[in-house]
Amino acid sequence: MKLPKISEPERYRGLYVYDFGEWVAVGYTVAEIVVLLESEEHADGKVYQIVRAQPDGGMELRGVSAERFQKEAGLFFNRDELADAEADFAELCRIADEPGRAIPCRAFVQVADRGAVDGAARYVTALIYPAEYDDEVSRWLMDHEYAGGTTVESGPSHVSNYYAEQVEVLQRRQLWNRSGESSRSPEEVLRTVRRAVQR
């Protein structure tokens, strides 16, 4: 796979490369990759995330399966007391609202009551986001020294279990990545697939 020459390659860290087979395009966001994977004409492409970009234009890529873009991941911060779960929720929202500290992707956070369950904490603060951002969200929480929950569970299977539980959602909030690259419309993404450098 031959990548096009890129000026300011460090701007592309965290974005994606799409290998269409006959050609390659660099600089897609997650939402734009989803458009390509869901399109009939381009669904068979291969996806790579740009992990590192060198000043000389060299890039370190990581292959990403198409299925990963369809899954959600989550972190579940468990508490025995409602007040502690509400404090975890409030702290997540406070961090996300601070200038320059936005979460790396679209996500939502909820406080839920699981009811009386043997051996399990009754209350949970759930942070759910696209699975492709697992590493970035974990790093975001560590960078801001977030320490919610007495115990913490994570992963796609826990998201499925959470949705299957009969929980009562007590508080909810959508979180947005206000500082990241904005994604283009599906029409523009599909119209410009032959452009080697997307942004």
Side-chain angles (χ1 to χ4, degrees):
M1 179 173 62
K2 185 170 164 100
L3 297 177
K5 187 168 176 146
I6 293 172
S7 61
E8 300 181 76
E10 59 279 359
R11 286 194 316 114
Y12 291 82
R13 183 183 169 281
L15 294 175
Y16 293 82
V17 173
Y18 203 78
D19 184 350
F20 291 89
E22 296 177 27
W23 74 94
V24 173
V26 177
Y28 288 108
T29 65
V30 169
E32 292 168 351
I33 290 293
V34 170
V35 169
L36 295 171
L37 291 172
E38 289 178 350
S39 72
E40 192 173 322
E41 189 176 354
H42 306 297
D44 294 332
K46 292 185 172 49
V47 183
Y48 302 88
Q49 184 179 35
I50 302 167
V51 179
R52 286 192 188 83
Q54 309 298 330
D56 65 1
M59 291 186 176
E60 180 183 330
L61 305 178
R62 172 176 62 95
V64 182
S65 69
E67 293 77 29
R68 188 162 171 84
F69 288 89
Q70 310 304 324
K71 289 183 179 174
E72 288 181 311
L75 287 155
F76 299 87
F77 305 95
N78 301 303
R79 295 286 195 175
D80 292 322
E81 301 296 329
L82 176 58
D84 294 332
E86 289 176 331
D88 290 344
F89 174 89
E91 179 66 3
L92 275 174
C93 294
R94 185 191 68 74
I95 294 168
D97 287 341
E98 286 190 10
R101 299 178 89 179
I103 194 163
C105 60
R106 166 189 55 79
F108 67 86
V109 61
Q110 297 179 344
V111 175
D113 182 350
R114 288 180 161 141
V117 182
D118 286 342
R122 177 165 183 159
Y123 301 99
V124 61
T125 300
L127 177 64
I128 299 175
Y129 49 87
E132 176 53 18
Y133 283 100
D134 227 357
D135 293 343
E136 289 86 350
V137 170
S138 296
R139 190 174 313 115
W140 178 74
L141 291 169
M142 286 189 292
D143 286 349
H144 302 305
E145 299 178 355
Y146 180 74
T150 307
T151 61
V152 181
E153 300 167 314
S154 67
S157 64
H158 288 289
V159 175
S160 301
N161 294 344
Y162 178 74
Y163 287 148
E165 288 180 49
Q166 299 296 313
V167 301
E168 179 187 359
V169 176
L170 305 173
Q171 293 187 58
R172 67 181 79 223
R173 168 93 185 272
Q174 182 77 46
L175 303 179
W176 300 100
N177 173 16
R178 296 179 300 277
S179 61
E181 288 277 359
S182 59
S183 297
R184 297 164 294 164
S185 69
E187 295 76 20
E188 186 178 353
V189 170
L190 294 174
R191 190 174 61 247
T192 60
V193 293
R194 288 278 180 177
R195 188 184 301 159
V197 180
Q198 292 289 314
R199 44 178 41 81

